[in-house]
């Protein structure tokens, strides 16, 4: 005879049933011979068995029944759970929660729907998950929070839950965004020493202006307000107001939720000057050296920024001696009656530290070796902050990374060791281009090019360029190895054949220059930033001319013949003290190059070239940069200077707003009046550029705006300032997936008759 179910509840089971909307039938303990699960639709029986606290062959009790109900209910899969006994068979009856079959939004304009789905998934609401009313309420609040963060304080969210077949529900969030709430007025109360206008300029938040559509700074944000209050506090502390206090802030919204008013109440206090500066603590017998690093002097108006710079400089200096965790604690003592402050800097160098390991990350392509060979801070050596900074600059100067972060990592349980982490963000360093075109003059043109600055992640650069056009035909192969030897001697090799016919479109179909040759150059480092170069090349030049060819080219043929050899010897020097080769923000770059046409060949000439660049950073990613170039060439055998070695100026690489290479001496074709630049033996170029991030992008380095002032020209003989062409303008630089790009729009300032203008220009980027 089959045993009947027992319906006696124990107190514990009754409590569980009341709290969890479930029931359990009280029974005498028994050994479970089988377990049967009823009511499942989508959940697998194995999932239920895994949560049950009792197995077949074990003794079932009321306590285990209550535990089973609690465990199954807490999974979130079920809205009701019953545990019963049928003889020695344990029966678990469940009622599953509905599953979310569809999640939709209506009325959404401000946000991307896919992005909203991701944010709701974080709070537990997503398609295919189980429906939970509490989580839906939480999702509504998350949606409202997202809108408030964008300034939509009037946004309303109504959720519709519609049952569908197979125990599922469709959820629709109906959103009425309303109008965005904008800051109507910002009031700063209590300021006496400074105008309210000056204080508001320190803030990100602002009333609507012509850039608000992009910056969104007219939309209230608690995070931005906190940052603004700190900016105002820093403004006063940097000007000696040590007792400055922000007493209160009030944020109020209009009844229609369209306007926001900010009121900031401050108390300035008195301005303090420095009465004395003393260093105390453990100074390691370097008090005089450390004192020189303090920017604040007696009689100066106190500045929190200068104090921070001083403490950082002292900590960095101690770091150079191996004290990685040096702490400098400023203790200002105010003489309120005299409005003076005594500064005591308590120095605690801590323990001397050495580096256990150097960890490199972020280099998916670049080999560790390429990064590690630039490190001047070594493993198992004393920590040195100056060597660590130098290492970061050297890695940046490789030009393979958009960002390099260097940090120290504590080792748990060890007080005198650190690990150094090098995290890099790689940029694309290679490009492949294939193209074909057709014109009535050039007919079929095929072009192909491949260049890779960091081939296979080895740090070696290779390049192959092919062009089949009639005006310019090229086949060139180049290779650069920065570590040809372990000591860092670099090697550059190139072989090429080039045909140039720049006068082809001007009616001179016979003119062309064919050059075939190669070069070899070694670079020898003799300091961390200095390198000398030695190179030798060989080149055969063939020139064909006609009566329409410019006189300078015909004179060249008369002096040197239609075919001649050139064996140039080069020697040079460079000093690269920039913080980055890709996006320099501080430091200098200089190079000198001397090229000498040896008597071993027909061309006996010399050229000398000098370039100097300087980068000065301002706050918030603003950079002022200067570039100067001068080149001069002549012969030592009383023959004319070879036109094949002429300099050319004009375009985005030198003087923007003018066509590339168009400045200086030119030739006018007698048949059609076309003007052709022929270059000159010397050049002079100067550039000033001010670069800043796109407004609203923080200090983003990959996308920046710049303004410029350029000057330059080409000369025959010694260059001077006479006849300089100048231009000004603006542009955009972008570290794109295709490589560094630079776009500019120039306004020539002093054009002369015959100047050829080109206002919009672009190039694959260089510093200028």
């Amino acid at each position: 005879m089959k045993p009947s179910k027992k319906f006696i509840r124990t107190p514990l089971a009754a409590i569980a049933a009341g709290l969890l909307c479930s029931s359990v039938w009280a029974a005498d303990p028994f050994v479970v011979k089988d377990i049967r699960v009823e009511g499942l639709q989508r959940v697998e029986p194995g999932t239920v068995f895994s949560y049950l606290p009792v197995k077949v062959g074990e003794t079932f009790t009321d306590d285990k029944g209550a535990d089973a109900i609690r465990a199954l209910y807490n999974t979130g899969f079920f809205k009701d759970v019953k545990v019963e006994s049928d003889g020695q068979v344990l029966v678990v009856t469940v009622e599953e929660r509905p599953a979310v079959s569809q999640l939709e939004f209506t009325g959404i304009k401000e946000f991307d729907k896919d992005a909203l789905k991701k944010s709701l998934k974080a709070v537990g609401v997503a398609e295919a998950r189980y429906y939970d009313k509490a989580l839906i309420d939480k999702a509504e609040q998350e949606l409202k929070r997202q809108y408030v963060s964008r300034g939509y304080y009037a946004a309303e969210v109504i959720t519709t839950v519609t049952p569908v077949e197979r125990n599922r529900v469709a959820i629709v969030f109906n959103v009425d965004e309303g109008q965005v709430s904008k800051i109507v007025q910002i009031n700063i109360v209590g300021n006496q020493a400074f105008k309210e206008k000056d204080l508001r300029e320190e803030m990100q938040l602002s009333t609507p202006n012509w850039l608000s559509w992009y910056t969104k700074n007219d939309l209230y944000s608690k995070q931005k307000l906190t940052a603004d209050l700190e900016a105002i506090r820093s403004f006063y502390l940097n000007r000696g107001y040590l007792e400055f206090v922000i007493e209160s802030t009030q944020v109020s919204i209009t009844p229609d939720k369209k306007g926001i008013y900010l009121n900031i109440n401050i108390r300035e206090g008195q301005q303090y000057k420095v009465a004395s500066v003393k260093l105390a603590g453990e100074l390691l017998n370097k008090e005089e050296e450390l004192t020189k690093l303090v920017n604040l002097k007696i009689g100066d108006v106190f500045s929190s920024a200068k104090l921070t710079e001083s403490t950082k400089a002292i900590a960095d200096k101690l770091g150079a001696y191996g004290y990685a965790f040096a702490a400098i604690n400023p203790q200002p003592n105010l003489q309120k009656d005299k409005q003076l402050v005594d500064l005591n800097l308590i120095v605690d160098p801590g323990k001397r530290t050495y580096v256990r390991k150097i960890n490199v990350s972020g280099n998916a392509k670049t080999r560790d070796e390429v990064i590690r060979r630039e490190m001047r801070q070594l493993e198992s050596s004393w920590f040195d902050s100056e060597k660590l900074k130098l290492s970061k600059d050297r890695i940046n100067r490789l030009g393979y990374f958009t960002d390099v972060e260097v940090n120290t990592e504590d080792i748990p349980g060890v007080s005198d060791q650190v690990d150094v982490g090098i995290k890099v963000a790689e940029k694309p360093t290679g490009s492949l281009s294939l193209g074909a075109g057709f014109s009535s003059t050039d007919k079929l043109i095929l072009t192909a090019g491949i260049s890779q600055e960091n081939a296979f992640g080895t740090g070696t650069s290779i390049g192959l360029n092919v062009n089949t056009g009639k005006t310019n035909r090229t086949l060139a192969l180049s290779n650069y190895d920065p570590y040809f030897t372990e000591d860092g001697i670099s090697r550059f090799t190139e072989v090429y054949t080039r045909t140039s016919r720049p006068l082809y479109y001007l009616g001179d179909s016979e003119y062309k220059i064919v050059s075939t040759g190669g070069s070899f150059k070694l670079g020898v480092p003799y300091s961390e930033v200095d390198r000398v170069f030695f190179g030798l090349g060989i080149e055969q030049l063939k020139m064909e001319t006609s009566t329409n060819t410019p006189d300078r080219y015909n004179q060249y043929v008369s002096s040197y013949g239609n075919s001649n050899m050139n064996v140039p010897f080069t020697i040079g020097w460079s000093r690269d003290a920039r913080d980055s080769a890709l996006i320099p923000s501080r430091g200098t770059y200089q190079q000198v190059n001397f090229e000498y046409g040896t008597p071993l060949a027909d061309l006996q000439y010399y050229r000398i070239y000098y370039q100097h660049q300087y980068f000065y950073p301002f706050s918030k990613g603003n950079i002022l940069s200067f570039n100067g170039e001068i080149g001069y060439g002549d012969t030592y055998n009383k023959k004319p200077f070879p036109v094949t070695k002429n300099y050319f100026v004009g375009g985005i690489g030198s003087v923007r707003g003018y066509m590339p290479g168009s400045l200086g001496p030119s030739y006018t074709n007698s048949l059609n009046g076309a003007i052709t630049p022929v270059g000159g033996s010397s050049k002079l170029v100067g550039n000033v550029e001010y670069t800043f991030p796109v407004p609203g992008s923080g200090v983003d380095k990959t996308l920046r705006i710049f303004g410029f002032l350029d000057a330059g020209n080409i000369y025959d003989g010694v260059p001077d300032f006479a006849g300089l062409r100048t231009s000004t303008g603006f542009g955009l630089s972008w570290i794109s997936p295709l490589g560094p790009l630079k776009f500019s729009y120039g306004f020539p300032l002093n054009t002369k008759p015959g100047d050829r203008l080109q206002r919009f220009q672009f190039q694959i980027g260089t510093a200028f």
Side-chain angles (χ1 to χ4, degrees), residues 186-204:
I186 299 176
N187 297 315
I188 301 177
V189 181
N191 57 300
Q192 296 178 355
F194 302 98
K195 296 180 180 179
E196 184 176 347
K197 176 184 176 183
D198 296 333
L199 298 179
R200 285 202 300 267
E201 288 180 353
E202 298 297 312
M203 302 175 63
Q204 293 184 62

Side-chain angles (χ1 to χ4, degrees), residues 143-209:
L143 280 176
K144 290 180 180 180
R145 188 193 67 80
Q146 294 271 11
Y147 273 98
V148 167
S149 69
R150 296 281 184 95
Y152 288 85
Y153 287 85
E156 295 183 359
V157 181
I158 300 175
T159 306
T160 303
V161 181
T162 306
V164 295
E165 72 279 0
R166 294 186 288 130
N167 194 27
R168 298 180 302 163
V169 294
I171 301 176
V172 180
F173 293 98
N174 304 285
V175 180
D176 180 7
E177 293 184 336
Q179 292 187 356
V180 64
S181 306
K182 297 185 177 181
I183 298 175
V184 176
Q185 190 173 350
I186 299 176
N187 297 315
I188 301 177
V189 181
N191 57 300
Q192 296 178 355
F194 302 98
K195 296 180 180 179
E196 184 176 347
K197 176 184 176 183
D198 296 333
L199 298 179
R200 285 202 300 267
E201 288 180 353
E202 298 297 312
M203 302 175 63
Q204 293 184 62
L205 294 175
S206 67
T207 53
N209 55 51

Side-chain angles (χ1 to χ4, degrees), residues 401-708:
F401 313 109
T402 58
D403 191 31
V404 178
E405 294 180 9
V406 178
N407 57 73
T408 55
E409 304 163 1
D410 295 342
I411 301 174
V414 181
S415 60
D416 62 347
Q417 298 181 39
V418 293
D419 288 341
V420 172
I422 309 293
K423 184 177 181 181
V424 298
E426 293 182 317
K427 77 172 184 71
T429 56
S431 64
L432 173 66
S433 62
L434 298 172
F438 184 85
S439 71
S440 59
T441 53
D442 277 6
K443 305 303 179 185
L444 181 64
I445 304 172
L446 299 175
T447 61
I450 181 172
S451 62
Q452 178 59 261
E453 296 178 10
N454 186 16
F456 312 110
T458 62
T460 300
S461 300
I462 59 174
L464 173 65
N465 288 286
V466 179
N467 189 317
T468 65
K470 284 192 175 182
T471 55
N472 288 286
R473 290 188 177 184
T474 302
L475 176 61
L477 177 65
S478 61
N479 172 261
Y480 174 70
D481 185 355
Y483 277 82
F484 177 56
T485 69
E486 293 184 358
D487 296 330
I489 295 178
S490 62
R491 179 198 64 189
F492 176 80
T493 55
E494 181 185 30
V495 291
Y496 59 87
T497 176
R498 299 185 178 98
T499 300
S500 176
R501 304 182 68 182
L503 305 180
Y504 184 78
Y505 291 110
L506 303 182
D508 190 355
S509 58
E510 297 180 20
Y511 169 81
K512 69 177 179 180
I513 299 177
V514 179
S515 58
T516 304
S519 62
F520 178 86
K521 183 186 292 186
L522 294 176
V524 182
Y526 65 92
S527 79
E528 295 293 350
V529 295
D530 294 283
R531 185 178 292 264
V532 292
F533 299 92
F534 305 92
L536 189 65
I538 184 169
E539 181 180 41
Q540 183 181 43
L541 297 168
K542 293 183 179 180
M543 180 179 294
E544 297 180 10
T545 61
S546 71
T547 56
N548 292 324
T549 304
D551 292 340
R552 294 198 180 194
Y553 296 90
N554 285 318
Q555 290 173 4
Y556 172 86
V557 172
S558 299
S559 300
Y560 296 100
N562 291 95
S563 177
N564 47 72
M565 293 291 294
N566 182 27
V567 181
F569 170 75
T570 58
I571 183 171
W573 162 82
S574 73
R575 169 172 291 175
D576 192 349
R578 300 171 295 177
D579 60 342
S580 171
L582 184 63
I583 313 172
S585 62
R586 60 174 172 80
T588 61
Y589 175 79
Q590 297 181 72
Q591 64 167 321
V592 176
N593 188 67
F594 178 76
E595 180 180 338
Y596 176 73
T598 64
L600 299 174
D602 303 317
L603 303 185
Q604 298 177 15
Y605 67 97
Y606 62 88
R607 293 200 311 173
I608 187 167
Y609 170 78
Y610 174 70
Q611 181 184 28
H612 187 109
Q613 294 180 351
Y614 175 74
F615 301 88
Y616 183 82
F618 294 91
S619 62
K620 300 179 181 179
N622 292 264
I623 302 167
L624 180 63
S625 50
F626 302 88
N627 176 67
E629 301 175 47
I630 185 170
Y632 176 77
D634 203 350
T635 61
Y636 59 89
N637 61 355
K638 298 183 180 180
K639 289 186 177 182
F641 187 76
V643 294
T644 55
K645 296 298 178 180
N646 275 354
Y647 292 105
F648 289 86
V649 166
I652 197 170
S654 52
V655 184
R656 287 159 280 200
Y658 297 87
M659 288 192 67
S662 65
L663 295 179
S666 60
Y667 163 76
T668 303
N669 189 287
S670 59
L671 296 178
N672 54 23
I675 300 175
T676 304
V678 295
S681 61
S682 62
K683 74 171 184 176
L684 189 63
V685 173
N687 313 93
V688 180
E689 197 166 280
Y690 188 83
T691 307
F692 56 93
V694 172
S697 65
V699 292
D700 181 21
K701 295 181 179 180
T702 61
L703 187 64
R704 298 175 299 163
I705 297 173
F706 60 86
F708 64 83

Side-chain angles (χ1 to χ4, degrees), residues 86 124 143 150 170 194 232-233 244 273 369 516 562 628 752:
D86 186 1
L143 280 176
R150 296 281 184 95
F194 302 98
I232 293 174
R233 182 180 289 106
F244 173 81
K273 293 186 177 181
E369 175 194 3
T516 304
N562 291 95
K752 302 293 183 183

